[in-house]
Amino acid sequence: MTDQQEWSTNANESLKISFVQAAPGSPKTLSSFHPQFTYPIFGDEECIFGYQNLKLNLRFAAHDLRPNLEVLYDKKFKAVEDVKATDIEETLKEWIPGETFEKVGAFNSHIQNDTSASSFKPPGELLETYTSRGRNFEIWSGELTDPTVQRLVERIQIMISFFIEGGTPLLLDDQDWTLARWRVYFVYEKLTDLPSPNTSPYSIVGYSTSYRFVTYVPTVSSKSVTQDFTLPPPTPISPASLPSRARISQFLILPSHHSHGHGTHLYNAMVKTFRASPTCTEITVEDPNEAFDDLRDYCDYKHLLDNGTFAKISLKTDIDPKLSARKIGVRVPTSKLLDMPLLESLRKKNKIAPRQFARLVELYLLTKIAPHNRQAGTARLTQRARATDPNDRAFYYWRLLVKQRVYKKNKDVLIQLDRGERVDKVEQTVGEVAGDYERLLRGMQKWQGGEASGSGSGGSERRDRAKRKVVDEGDGDDDDGDVEMEMAGDAKRARSEAL
């Protein structure tokens, strides 16, 4: 009987990821780190069976991401009937291209003697250059129909499975029409003091992808017009020419570049292109995790603050006391608290999804209430509608505004609860929303004084922070009817990382 533990290796610890460049003598390692998780590849236990002192060295050329895998071990388990060592190459071949398995010597020789490396440039167009901590960086963007973009994505997207919980690699053998709806954004460091004539000046920092969801935009006309058309059309239609919602999907900054502000630069560069596009109607995010939510909130909030959007918004507190009475069937309509047509106009102008825009407005309105008056946090407020202190009235109506949004979003679930439990659930959720907004405001003060790193359209940080009892946001920006209510304790899956 074999000792399973003796022959089992933790996949996360045995696998080391490195990025290298040409240098005198042998390739130079620029950075190395371990994956955060490997369960999509090696199973829930994240173990590799059948080896002692196993080491997996997964290396990439820092510029064009050419991959190589070196497998080292002291002993390999000899098969006993159906019990045999994990076939590492067979397991990994679905996740990395075949060139990864070339001999280590051939890979090293290619890195050292690749004369084209010095003239390498990222594919697509240069969107932005910036400096962080005295180092220079560039953001490039290209469509997935570009063969060079495809090759880079094919080589690097195993990182999605290592660092983005629930992330799914892209299908690169899809039809051109579908591939044309994907756009890829690369962050590269522009290196100086190159050690070798064959050293590329570019080193990968991270990347993100976005997808175009074609949307129907009705036209208003006083009379109907009949138009003839044929299918298929006589000339190809580009997805970029059609009205669409842009969805940020995978978002990854490599661990060696965390906390240097690259997530902020990448996110802002992406949304800047979306806002500038005449065919993009709205910016959405796929299954963001908590860290990416923070990054997105910080960046969107600053944008709305800087462009004067927030200055046009105010919470009305001079409400008819009869509407504020605590009677069954009597409530204050949202339209009495905010100028809804104005909000919708501002939201569309900034191309922000409804759920995200509502949260940002709530966050801003909370800052207009004196900190002392909003200390109640999770407390249930009564008779504040008639309070003489305008900050007390504002906080009362602010909470009422959030309650209405929470209830409307989760009505189908809440209506199944007893009235008392339903009221308690909404009250508790609003208190937790307020507490989370206070956390965001504290974070913004620190963020504005330094560089934000954020974590992606969703990330992989796991925080010990209070979960909302009713998660009214959902995991992404899908249509409201497509998102289910999530209760406290439910795990939130992430599709992308923005660290």
Side-chain angles (χ1 to χ4, degrees):
M1 196 70 178
T2 205
D3 186 348
Q4 294 279 348
Q5 190 170 5
E6 178 185 359
W7 293 97
S8 295
T9 305
N10 183 287
N12 298 342
E13 295 174 359
S14 65
L15 178 60
K16 184 171 73 171
I17 304 163
S18 304
F19 289 83
V20 302
Q21 64 175 192
S26 61
K28 174 184 177 182
T29 299
L30 298 180
S31 62
S32 62
F33 43 85
H34 295 280
Q36 183 160 357
F37 34 73
T38 54
Y39 67 84
I41 301 173
F42 294 107
D44 291 342
E45 299 300 321
E46 298 183 322
C47 283
I48 301 173
F49 175 76
Y51 303 88
Q52 291 184 0
N53 196 25
L54 176 66
K55 294 180 180 179
L56 305 178
N57 296 322
L58 180 60
R59 296 188 296 166
F60 296 86
H63 63 297
D64 67 0
L65 308 178
R66 184 184 182 95
N68 179 254
L69 178 67
E70 180 183 30
V71 181
L72 302 173
Y73 53 85
D74 291 342
K75 292 182 180 180
K76 183 177 180 179
F77 179 75
K78 293 182 179 180
V80 177
E81 297 181 350
D82 293 337
V83 181
K84 56 184 178 180
T86 301
D87 189 330
I88 295 174
E89 181 172 336
E90 183 68 21
T91 301
L92 285 171
K93 74 177 184 180
E94 296 182 14
W95 304 87
I96 46 183
E99 62 185 327
T100 309
F101 303 103
E102 72 174 335
K103 299 295 184 181
V104 174
F107 174 78
N108 290 341
S109 178
H110 177 84
I111 295 296
Q112 294 294 89
N113 301 311
D114 182 11
T115 57
S116 66
S118 59
S119 59
F120 170 87
K121 283 188 177 181
E125 60 178 322
L126 177 63
L127 295 184
E128 178 184 320
T129 62
Y130 64 94
T131 301
S132 176
R133 304 191 180 187
R135 296 158 67 177
N136 300 316
F137 300 88
E138 297 178 354
I139 300 177
W140 293 72
S141 174
E143 289 191 353
L144 197 54
T145 50
D146 183 335
T148 305
V149 173
Q150 278 195 40
R151 184 166 63 251
L152 292 179
V153 171
E154 179 186 26
R155 290 172 169 178
I156 196 65
Q157 67 176 354
I158 191 174
M159 296 294 176
I160 300 301
S161 302
F162 289 154
F163 294 102
I164 300 177
E165 192 169 1
T168 305
L170 301 185
L171 296 176
L172 302 177
D173 58 353
D174 216 327
Q175 298 180 0
D176 287 347
W177 169 261
T178 299
L179 295 178
R181 295 164 73 176
W182 287 97
R183 194 160 190 86
V184 186
Y185 301 79
F186 298 100
V187 184
Y188 272 91
E189 180 176 4
K190 189 72 178 290
L191 302 170
T192 57
D193 300 326
L194 304 180
S196 164
N198 292 338
T199 301
S200 172
Y202 286 97
S203 175
I204 190 71
V205 171
Y207 82 103
S208 181
T209 61
S210 69
Y211 185 78
R212 295 185 184 97
F213 277 95
V214 177
T215 59
Y216 171 69
V217 179
T219 57
V220 179
S221 176
S222 58
K223 54 183 178 180
S224 61
V225 178
T226 302
Q227 293 180 322
D228 294 330
F229 65 95
T230 59
L231 291 175
T235 57
I237 300 176
S238 168
S241 67
L242 300 174
S244 61
R245 299 166 70 209
R247 169 181 277 187
I248 298 175
S249 184
Q250 302 156 328
F251 195 107
L252 174 71
I253 300 297
L254 298 176
S256 50
H257 293 280
H258 286 183
S259 301
H260 290 184
H262 301 300
T264 300
H265 283 284
L266 179 54
Y267 178 83
N268 285 334
M270 294 177 70
V271 298
K272 183 178 179 180
T273 63
F274 301 148
R275 291 191 178 111
S277 169
T279 59
C280 176
T281 61
E282 190 173 280
I283 303 166
T284 65
V285 178
E286 180 182 6
D287 295 345
N289 74 342
E290 292 174 352
F292 187 85
D293 275 338
D294 287 355
L295 169 72
R296 183 189 186 192
D297 288 342
Y298 294 159
C299 292
D300 287 353
Y301 188 92
K302 187 176 188 303
H303 172 76
L304 297 180
L305 194 64
D306 291 347
N307 72 2
T309 295
F310 282 147
K312 301 175 184 178
I313 300 172
S314 60
L315 180 67
K316 300 173 185 177
T317 59
D318 55 343
I319 308 296
D320 184 347
K322 293 181 180 179
L323 289 177
S324 303
R326 296 179 61 82
K327 297 179 181 178
I328 297 176
V330 178
R331 66 182 181 86
V332 180
T334 304
S335 59
K336 294 290 185 179
L337 301 174
L338 294 171
D339 185 337
M340 301 307 293
L342 172 64
L343 285 183
E344 182 63 7
S345 172
L346 294 173
R347 184 191 72 79
K348 289 183 176 180
K349 181 179 179 180
N350 289 281
K351 301 185 179 181
I352 298 177
R355 187 180 302 114
Q356 173 70 355
F357 189 74
R359 294 183 63 257
L360 294 170
V361 169
E362 292 168 3
L363 184 60
Y364 169 73
L365 293 176
L366 186 63
T367 68
K368 312 311 290 183
I369 302 170
H372 174 75
N373 299 82
R374 60 187 202 234
Q375 289 302 312
T378 59
R380 187 172 300 178
L381 305 178
T382 58
Q383 304 303 323
R384 292 292 182 94
R386 299 183 179 86
T388 57
D389 188 333
N391 282 289
D392 278 344
R393 291 200 306 273
F395 192 46
Y396 172 84
Y397 286 117
W398 180 90
R399 285 175 54 87
L400 193 59
L401 180 70
V402 179
K403 284 181 186 179
Q404 291 181 4
R405 181 174 66 86
V406 168
Y407 186 83
K408 290 175 184 177
K409 175 64 185 154
N410 302 288
K411 181 178 179 180
D412 291 343
V413 176
L414 288 170
I415 204 170
Q416 301 177 38
L417 305 177
D418 293 337
R419 186 180 186 281
E421 186 179 359
R422 183 164 64 243
V423 171
D424 289 342
K425 187 69 70 176
V426 173
E427 286 283 353
Q428 185 177 8
T429 297
V430 172
E432 290 177 354
V433 169
D436 195 52
Y437 285 166
E438 295 287 1
R439 179 192 62 81
L440 279 171
L441 293 174
R442 292 192 298 270
M444 285 182 187
Q445 292 178 348
K446 297 179 182 179
W447 181 69
Q448 291 171 355
E451 294 175 318
S453 58
S455 219
S457 142
S460 56
E461 288 187 2
R462 298 174 182 177
R463 300 183 177 187
D464 294 328
R465 107 182 180 198
K467 296 287 185 181
R468 301 179 185 130
K469 296 304 177 185
V470 178
V471 179
D472 54 304
E473 267 63 69
D475 285 340
D477 291 312
D478 294 321
D479 293 338
D480 288 348
D482 297 334
V483 182
E484 295 182 355
M485 175 176 156
E486 184 176 333
M487 308 303 285
D490 289 349
K492 194 173 190 179
R493 307 292 287 181
R495 280 291 178 94
S496 25
E497 165 127 35
L499 285 170

